[in-house]
Amino acid sequence: MAAAMDRRSFLRTSAVAAAALGGAAALASCAPQTASSTVLRVGSTTDIDSLNPFTATSTQSDDVLQLVYDRLMGYDAQLNVGPSLATGVQSADGGKTFTYTLRSGVKWHDGTDFSADDVVFTFLMVRDNSYGNYGAYLKDLTDAAKVGDNQVRLTYSTPQTMDPGVIIPIAPKHLWEGVAKDALPKYGNEKPVGTGPFTFVSWEKGSVATVARNDSWWGTKPAAQKVTWTKFGSDDVVIQALRTGDIDIVAEVPPTIYAGLQNAANVKTAEMESFSFHMIGFNCSTAPGSKGNPILRDPAVRQALSCAVSRQQFVELALAGYGEPGTDLLPPAFGDFHFVPAPDAVLDNNPAKAGELLDKAGYADRNGDGIRKSKDGVPLEFRLLVIADTTVDMKAADLFVTAAKAVGVSLKLSSTDADSMSATVYNADTPDWDVMIWGWDSSFYDPSYLLGIPTTDQIGGNNDTFWTDPRYDDLYHQQSTTIDRAGRVKLVQEMQAIHYAACPYIVMWYQKKLTGTRTNTWTGWQPMSGGLILNFPRVNYLDVKPA
């Protein structure tokens, strides 16, 4: 069974419209008003969505919960895997067996002793229930067992290309074993208890989440006594709060605002590679109840629309140049796994080719109104759905509508909020949409997460276009068990070539992570691929010091 929907970042950080939480002044007042050497204050326009570390869907929730919960292993600023709850790991049997040596003397936030039983319980709970965002990664787990008092051995039926210890947050058995199986999917976990460097304090929905330093944590004590994440009503307001010193960091500054922030007093800006992309997605569902336009199941139509748009234009006009034109699922930050199509396979910025593809497939303007029709006279008219407060996506939508019209395709643009978008797009039984613009952010430093989105297993989960391909599925399984990097790269490249040519997505761009930090409150921020925070390494929260 597929993992639950896990759009790790709703990628709504380019909002400029006021939010419906009482106006800018009210929202700004939620943040601590004076600079502090004890509280690290994060500002954004997106709230966390859940306190359950297994089912939360937003990057903001991950950011909070990774400070409350530890994993067995973790990432450093260079994205190397190192010790966390485990002091080390030994891999054997060609990558099928992982034995972790656990730290001693660790306690849960409620004072209960941490033990190997908690680790075994967590992995089996996730595997046996295909639980939340992580079940798909434990499908091949055959056993999780204690080895003595301070070791746990995980055994898989196939080699694992990624250390499973960096994936799964460890939960306390004594609190979670009482949750009934049928209650797990909607379990709110309203009072999170972990072993991490911070303890949960509160979450005022739509306003502020707060954690406090865990002075009993097994690691080096962070300098910050508290961390707060404040939701603001618009990017204009959150950037103003950064300028005035009401917050210490904005992790994702909109590109249209970024240039104006670079000369602000006591503010430092930085741009970093990301593990995210924005895309145009097509409803390819063949479900009996699908209300999507069936013409979009024709790859020629999707390919033509891919040729109609200019990804470079998207970057220049929607991102103000702060990004790179997209190709397929893996951004350049993934190195040699990143896909670049051969010159004769490019489906980009070629309206003439778009026309040829549509002509060959039998779509023609049969009455001179500028809109092509199928052989049965059905017009190429589609609904386009975009999140209203994502200005980069709204700009891209305008460009897409114009480009499509030029090749004889009509798009009717409508906007919505992120929650409604999710409910509409992820209705696997009766998806009532045609085309959408949205984005993805990887959950960890491995190709499997983003590559897994369009697999058949993920229909009902992450697969938001319902496109499937048996060869792609087969290659996905192969790459996830191929230890040899060169061999894996070859498989991953073939996968992306299939996906790119089929065009369930038009990957528009890979956006830079643009960040602003106060220089007079906290110092020691370490730039890294994926961003200073809202990233799978948590090191900046642990290492920054008062200025």
Side-chain angles (χ1 to χ4, degrees), residues 143-208:
D143 189 37
K146 289 174 58 177
V147 181
D149 292 332
N150 72 328
Q151 288 188 320
V152 169
R153 179 171 297 141
L154 303 180
T155 304
Y156 290 78
S157 60
T158 57
Q160 300 297 297
T161 57
M162 179 174 53
D163 183 345
V166 302
I167 304 175
I168 310 295
I170 304 303
K173 178 182 178 181
H174 66 282
L175 297 179
W176 283 73
E177 65 182 347
V179 181
K181 181 182 180 72
D182 57 359
L184 279 171
K186 295 184 178 181
Y187 180 55
N189 193 37
E190 295 178 355
K191 296 180 179 180
V193 172
T195 58
F198 290 84
T199 61
F200 174 75
V201 175
S202 63
W203 173 31
E204 301 170 38
K205 292 185 180 181
S207 182
V208 182

Side-chain angles (χ1 to χ4, degrees), residues 393-405:
D393 286 353
M394 289 297 293
K395 178 61 178 177
D398 290 337
L399 295 170
F400 184 34
V401 169
T402 300
K405 183 177 180 181

Side-chain angles (χ1 to χ4, degrees), residues 114-259:
F114 162 78
S115 75
D117 292 328
D118 297 304
V119 178
V120 171
F121 168 81
T122 298
F123 275 85
L124 294 181
M125 175 185 71
V126 173
R127 183 200 67 178
D128 294 346
N129 296 282
S130 190
Y131 191 35
N133 306 322
Y134 300 102
Y137 303 104
L138 300 184
K139 290 173 62 176
D140 295 331
L141 179 67
T142 59
D143 189 37
K146 289 174 58 177
V147 181
D149 292 332
N150 72 328
Q151 288 188 320
V152 169
R153 179 171 297 141
L154 303 180
T155 304
Y156 290 78
S157 60
T158 57
Q160 300 297 297
T161 57
M162 179 174 53
D163 183 345
V166 302
I167 304 175
I168 310 295
I170 304 303
K173 178 182 178 181
H174 66 282
L175 297 179
W176 283 73
E177 65 182 347
V179 181
K181 181 182 180 72
D182 57 359
L184 279 171
K186 295 184 178 181
Y187 180 55
N189 193 37
E190 295 178 355
K191 296 180 179 180
V193 172
T195 58
F198 290 84
T199 61
F200 174 75
V201 175
S202 63
W203 173 31
E204 301 170 38
K205 292 185 180 181
S207 182
V208 182
T210 303
V211 297
R213 187 175 63 201
N214 173 19
D215 288 331
S216 299
W217 188 51
W218 50 263
T220 302
K221 184 187 298 185
Q225 293 180 18
K226 287 186 177 181
V227 183
T228 61
W229 293 262
T230 300
K231 181 187 184 299
F232 289 81
S234 75
D235 282 312
D236 285 342
V237 178
V238 73
I239 296 303
Q240 183 60 23
L242 183 66
R243 287 178 178 271
T244 58
D246 291 328
I247 54 175
D248 303 309
I249 180 171
V250 176
E252 295 178 325
V253 178
T256 53
I257 297 176
Y258 183 73

Side-chain angles (χ1 to χ4, degrees), residues 407-420:
V407 299
V409 178
S410 175
L411 297 173
K412 182 180 180 181
L413 175 61
S414 62
S415 60
T416 187
D417 60 77
D419 290 339
S420 297

